[in-house]
Amino acid sequence: MRKLAFFSALCFFLSAVEYAIPKPVPFFRLGLANLPIMISFLCMTRRESTALIFLKVLLQGIISGTLFSYIFLFSLAGSVASGFVMMAIFHLFYGRKLVSWLGISMAGGLANNLAQLGVACIFLFGENTKFVAPVLLAISFVASIAMGLFANVFVEKSKWLADLRNKNWTEVKSAGKKSAAAEEKKSSSKFQFLVLTFSLSMFILLFFSKSIYAVSGIFLLAVIACFIKNKRVNLLPSLALILSVTFFSILVPHGKILAEIWKLKITDGAIFSGLERSIKLCSCVFLSKLIADKNMKLPSRAGLFMSFVFEYFEKLSENIGNKKITFSNFVSLLDEKLEKAFEC
């Protein structure tokens, strides 16, 4: 349970990072959350990888607030198509050294695009899909190459993944069951139940909130709740995220023009869009901090699983510290973060 929960949290975390990046097309994704899917083929069963594919779609819908929108259909079609194509190619050819992660990623990217273009043709653009297709295919082609090259390097150099693959999963699963049984026996206080109810209610409100004021209110309530629950609160990363996401959103102008700097049009639509995305993402982080409580008992095995997901998501969302991120040390820093989060 914990292994699947960790990979689900990693998909959740990378989806959150991807959500903060402006997109040229509404349903386009860079594919960052495909990395856990690809890695899962090495250390999880096919059934677990299949479950992870669908959990990834669900968590992407949660983090982006598109769970009940037409965009969710694009995500579902693309993720399922790419996930199963990558899984099939891996099990058929990777063991025989006939394909690398680059090939797997490119095949997955192509399957994702074809599935999404099919949905776009049926539900959104119709015959005009042919005008969107070239841009989507070109950008996704580059993104899939980048993801495949990174996967090649990560699988080769990652100490965390090597340790993960060498573990005796029979022992790990047994330990996980004991841990789950122990946690299920712990009683949940009324205060913890109220915190859980509050957090889930705020998540639901985030799904439907399109107003920057409503999203900001939820963010403020989440921060206050973290203070009350004695959770560690550091607002500087949130501020940095809000500023960076809003800045990049301004580079894609839409709406009423407020000012023009060096031929760059500053529009209200771009500003509010960036603020909404970034504040919603920060709200998810703080609400996850509230839910991530090892002593909290959630009803049923599914509830326990989700508590593990939020627990790992909180760990993954923590800062790297004062270490400078460069191209040469990125894999080692990612390894360090994964090791710390997985040991929690």
Side-chain angles (χ1 to χ4, degrees):
M1 177 185 288
R2 277 193 172 270
K3 181 175 60 172
L4 181 58
F6 179 80
F7 276 81
S8 299
L10 185 55
C11 285
F12 196 12
F13 173 72
L14 294 176
S15 296
V17 173
E18 186 171 344
Y19 173 68
I21 302 174
K23 305 171 183 61
V25 182
F27 49 86
F28 171 74
R29 296 188 186 278
L30 292 174
L32 297 179
N34 279 334
L35 181 61
I37 302 293
M38 296 163 72
I39 295 175
S40 74
F41 301 151
L42 293 169
C43 52
M44 297 173 69
T45 65
R46 298 181 188 183
R47 179 178 296 181
E48 289 173 326
S49 294
T50 300
L52 183 62
I53 292 171
F54 286 99
L55 284 168
K56 170 204 164 191
V57 178
L58 175 64
L59 294 171
Q60 281 181 332
I62 291 175
I63 199 68
S64 62
T66 60
L67 191 60
F68 302 102
S69 72
Y70 74 93
I71 296 178
F72 182 76
L73 293 176
F74 290 97
S75 179
L76 178 63
S79 295
V80 171
S82 64
F84 282 107
V85 166
M86 290 191 297
M87 187 189 302
I89 292 177
F90 173 84
H91 288 291
L92 288 174
F93 303 112
Y94 185 80
R96 303 175 187 175
K97 296 183 179 180
L98 297 176
V99 68
S100 68
W101 290 109
L102 175 59
I104 294 173
S105 177
M106 292 178 66
L110 179 60
N112 176 82
N113 288 336
L114 293 178
Q116 289 190 339
L117 288 172
V119 174
C121 183
I122 296 173
F123 295 103
L124 196 59
F125 298 122
E127 294 183 358
N128 293 328
T129 303
K130 60 185 178 183
F131 298 111
V132 181
V135 177
L136 181 65
L137 289 171
I139 298 176
S140 296
F141 178 73
V142 175
S144 63
I145 290 178
M147 178 56 61
L149 292 174
F150 176 76
N152 278 337
V153 175
F154 183 81
V155 171
E156 179 183 353
K157 296 185 177 181
S158 173
K159 296 180 181 179
W160 168 79
L161 181 59
D163 292 340
L164 194 67
R165 296 178 66 183
N166 293 329
K167 282 183 181 293
N168 186 335
W169 285 112
T170 302
E171 296 178 3
V172 174
K173 289 178 181 179
S174 175
K177 290 180 179 179
K178 292 179 180 179
S179 175
E183 292 198 38
E184 286 179 331
K185 291 180 180 179
K186 295 181 179 179
S187 60
S188 177
S189 67
K190 291 183 179 180
F191 177 72
Q192 290 174 329
F193 179 76
L194 289 174
V195 169
L196 175 62
T197 304
F198 167 79
S199 301
L200 294 180
S201 299
M202 292 298 102
F203 267 119
I204 293 174
L205 288 177
L206 278 177
F207 296 160
F208 298 100
S209 296
K210 299 299 180 182
S211 168
I212 182 64
Y213 304 106
V215 173
S216 299
I218 294 173
F219 172 72
L220 182 60
L221 289 174
V223 172
I224 294 174
C226 283
F227 273 115
I228 294 175
K229 204 166 184 287
N230 294 324
K231 289 284 186 176
R232 186 174 61 180
V233 175
N234 186 356
L235 294 176
L236 289 180
S238 297
L239 179 60
L241 176 64
I242 292 172
L243 292 176
S244 61
V245 172
T246 304
F247 171 77
F248 285 108
S249 181
I250 290 175
L251 300 180
V252 186
H254 63 277
K256 181 181 178 181
I257 300 176
L258 301 177
E260 188 170 345
I261 303 176
W262 296 322
K263 296 183 179 182
L264 174 63
K265 297 177 181 179
I266 310 298
T267 59
D268 60 350
I271 293 175
F272 281 108
S273 177
L275 288 173
E276 181 198 344
R277 288 200 305 267
S278 57
I279 296 176
K280 185 177 289 187
L281 173 57
C282 294
S283 300
C284 287
V285 172
F286 283 106
L287 290 173
S288 297
K289 286 180 177 289
L290 289 175
I291 296 178
D293 191 333
K294 295 180 179 180
N295 296 321
M296 181 177 290
K297 178 183 177 182
L298 298 176
S300 78
R301 190 173 180 82
L304 182 63
F305 172 80
M306 289 307 300
S307 69
F308 287 158
V309 172
F310 285 116
E311 176 185 340
Y312 285 128
F313 179 75
E314 179 186 7
K315 291 290 184 181
L316 290 168
S317 301
E318 291 178 353
N319 292 332
I320 297 177
N322 298 323
K323 298 180 180 179
K324 183 179 180 180
I325 301 177
T326 63
F327 180 79
S328 59
N329 71 355
F330 180 74
V331 172
S332 61
L333 289 178
L334 178 60
D335 246 14
E336 181 181 335
K337 176 177 279 290
L338 290 174
E339 287 176 356
K340 289 182 178 179
F342 192 70
E343 289 172 357
C344 72

